[in-house]
Amino acid sequence: MAVKLKERSILNFSKYCMICAGIWRLPLPTQSISRIKLYGFYSAFVQVYFVTILISMGVQFALVLTDQNADKSPEKLFKQLSDIIPLVVVEFASILCQGDKVKQIVSYIIAEEEDIARSRDRDILQSYNKQARFCKITNTAIFTFTLGTGSCMILENFWRQLKIAKYNAEQNASLAKPFPFELYCYKLNKQEHAMFLLLVNDVSIIINVFLIISTKLIFISCIIFVPSVLKKLQIEFVKMASYNKDVFATLRSLIRKHLRTIEFVKELNDSIKYLILMEYLLNSLNVAAVSIQFITYDRKMLASPIFYFSFLFVQTFVLGWSANELQVQSSALAEALYNSPWYEQNKKVKKALLTMLIRCQRPLTLTIGPFDAMTTQSALMIMKASYSYVTLMMNNYN
């Protein structure tokens, strides 16, 4: 039975999320000039709106810190920090996604997937389908948890607004209505313009959700894609004698593919290593801040922290596992060379295989900034650091 590709591209999910977020900079899946122009206006609106909200939140946080009469309780400050920190990382990632390096990375993946689609090798197609299925599952999980976080924030805020309005009406009080994002409103009265601020917050949450989804998924998808190329190379090295009578010509072609893969991983690492560093430094603080919410928040308001914690947990371990898999599969190329019929080849082929074998002894890695390689151990370190932060914050809170 012939095997077909079940997923034409690992990037499909993240591509359409980036289009929804207004940060897709490669050709759109439409030829309509009017739609392309409309998308340009939409993209500009999203970018300006997001930066404006981020600046407003930063100004408000600074005012709280400098105001002696403001509420500076640990849970309130960390709540604001847990809102601002991810937005800073997302803004950095969104700028990165629109740069030339990411365009080149995506173009490389598209070209490689076209090569895989042309293959008639059953093992290659099955290997790619398995990797694409894993990517789809992780993308769906991250999409679901992020969208769930945003939806719960909107619903919880609406419920909170109704509850406070009812209390003010019954008690003839003027209790302030809180919002998900603490924005700087200048001279705007929050009570009189509550509906307007509620709308601004809801739009901010929606834009934030799609920017988070798109910026996370594109890089995770790129990392997940690399092992599929390495697995394809492993299969081709084992079967190289069956592809062509001129084994040396086949081997030389495969070595070129391997060198291109090495260069691709280097470019990918150069593009995202500082983003990964920010993620690993800040995720531990985010996990700690969310954990504090579990302890100090009203139980009826725990839906969004639960979704957000699930998102952070899945993202952290998917990144660690995928980077670890990259190392494993790059090292496995040496085993694939050994399993090939090298003993049947001439001296010229054996010499090339030996050079290739030496090159495979150094596994491909993605690094956390300029520091160590990213692995599953890195993900565990985040959780350990988060536990330490929670312990420290709870001691100060008590």
Side-chain angles (χ1 to χ4, degrees):
M1 183 182 295
V3 178
K4 297 181 179 180
L5 287 183
K6 295 180 180 179
E7 295 290 336
R8 296 298 297 179
S9 176
I10 278 178
L11 297 178
N12 266 347
F13 200 110
S14 54
K15 171 185 175 180
Y16 286 104
C17 287
M18 288 178 73
I19 291 174
C20 291
I23 59 173
W24 180 256
R25 292 296 174 258
L26 288 173
L28 294 169
T30 179
Q31 299 298 323
S32 173
I33 301 298
S34 59
R35 290 182 180 179
I36 293 174
K37 288 183 178 180
L38 183 62
Y39 176 77
F41 288 121
Y42 167 73
S43 177
F45 166 76
V46 169
Q47 299 296 308
V48 172
Y49 190 97
F50 186 78
V51 172
T52 303
I53 292 299
L54 183 57
I55 293 173
S56 177
M57 292 174 66
V59 171
Q60 181 62 26
F61 183 71
L63 289 175
V64 170
L65 290 178
T66 56
D67 188 355
Q68 295 181 353
N69 299 321
D71 181 8
K72 297 180 184 178
S73 60
E75 64 270 21
K76 183 175 179 61
L77 292 178
F78 278 106
K79 168 63 171 62
Q80 288 185 261
L81 273 179
S82 64
D83 289 337
I84 295 172
I85 288 172
L87 298 189
V88 174
V89 178
V90 168
E91 175 60 21
F92 176 76
S94 65
I95 293 172
L96 195 62
C97 284
Q98 299 171 72
D100 291 335
K101 281 191 175 182
V102 172
K103 292 179 185 178
Q104 294 172 4
I105 289 169
V106 172
S107 298
Y108 169 85
I109 293 177
I110 292 172
E112 286 295 321
E113 287 181 326
E114 290 175 354
D115 183 56
I116 293 172
R118 289 192 296 267
S119 176
R120 296 182 180 180
D121 191 303
R122 179 186 181 89
D123 293 332
I124 289 175
L125 294 175
Q126 284 182 334
S127 174
Y128 176 82
N129 283 335
K130 183 178 179 181
Q131 198 72 4
R133 186 164 55 250
F134 170 73
C135 185
K136 188 175 182 179
I137 291 171
T138 56
N139 284 353
T140 302
I142 291 173
F143 177 86
T144 301
F145 290 135
T146 311
L147 190 63
T149 303
S151 301
C152 288
M153 286 179 68
I154 293 173
L155 292 174
E156 287 173 1
N157 184 59
F158 181 72
W159 180 83
R160 190 185 293 113
Q161 294 285 336
L162 290 179
K163 185 177 180 182
I164 293 176
K166 182 180 179 181
Y167 175 84
N168 287 343
E170 291 177 350
Q171 304 296 327
N172 194 23
S174 58
L175 194 64
K177 298 178 180 179
F179 297 96
F181 294 147
E182 295 288 340
L183 302 176
Y184 174 63
C185 300
Y186 190 47
K187 295 182 179 180
L188 197 67
N189 189 297
K190 292 185 178 181
Q191 293 285 23
E192 295 178 0
H193 300 88
M195 292 304 297
F196 171 74
L197 291 175
L198 182 61
L199 177 62
V200 170
N201 270 262
D202 289 347
V203 173
S204 302
I205 290 171
I206 294 169
I207 292 176
N208 183 31
V209 163
F210 278 99
L211 281 174
I212 289 175
I213 290 171
S214 57
T215 53
K216 305 299 183 187
L217 294 191
I218 185 63
F219 292 120
I220 288 176
S221 298
C222 289
I223 295 171
I224 291 175
F225 173 77
V226 182
S228 67
V229 177
L230 295 171
K231 290 177 182 179
K232 175 177 176 287
L233 278 173
Q234 292 170 28
I235 295 168
E236 289 175 330
F237 274 122
V238 172
K239 298 181 178 181
M240 62 181 176
S242 64
Y243 292 141
N244 193 340
K245 291 183 179 180
D246 189 349
V247 178
F248 183 74
T250 303
L251 177 59
R252 187 168 56 186
S253 174
L254 294 176
I255 290 174
R256 288 198 193 101
K257 289 182 180 180
H258 184 233
L259 291 174
R260 285 201 302 270
T261 304
I262 293 173
E263 186 62 27
F264 170 76
V265 174
K266 183 179 181 301
E267 290 180 3
L268 179 62
N269 186 57
D270 289 342
S271 298
I272 68 173
K273 62 182 179 181
Y274 291 106
L275 177 62
I276 290 174
L277 176 62
M278 291 174 68
E279 291 281 1
Y280 270 72
L281 288 175
L282 300 179
N283 271 6
S284 55
L285 185 60
N286 286 334
V287 172
V290 174
S291 301
I292 289 293
Q293 292 180 29
F294 290 147
I295 301 170
T296 60
Y297 267 38
D298 184 349
R299 292 184 179 180
K300 295 179 181 179
M301 298 291 185
L302 288 180
S304 57
I306 289 172
F307 272 107
Y308 188 47
F309 180 84
S310 301
F311 158 72
L312 292 172
F313 184 85
V314 171
Q315 177 201 227
T316 300
F317 280 96
V318 166
L319 277 173
W321 187 90
S322 299
N324 196 75
E325 184 70 5
L326 171 60
Q327 293 186 43
V328 171
Q329 295 305 326
S330 62
S331 299
L333 277 172
E335 185 178 350
L337 289 171
Y338 180 78
N339 291 331
S340 68
W342 57 269
Y343 45 85
E344 299 176 356
Q345 309 307 320
N346 57 40
K347 187 176 180 180
K348 189 177 181 181
V349 173
K350 288 179 180 177
K351 187 176 180 180
L353 283 171
L354 181 59
T355 304
M356 181 71 187
L357 190 63
I358 294 171
R359 184 180 291 123
C360 291
Q361 299 307 307
R362 185 177 181 180
L364 302 177
T365 59
L366 295 174
T367 60
I368 304 174
F371 305 111
D372 291 338
M374 179 170 59
T375 63
T376 50
Q377 292 299 318
S378 307
L380 291 174
M381 286 175 60
I382 284 183
M383 295 303 161
K384 290 179 181 178
S386 300
Y387 177 77
S388 300
Y389 291 153
V390 170
T391 304
L392 178 62
M393 286 187 287
M394 290 308 299
N395 287 337
N396 291 335
Y397 177 74
N398 293 330

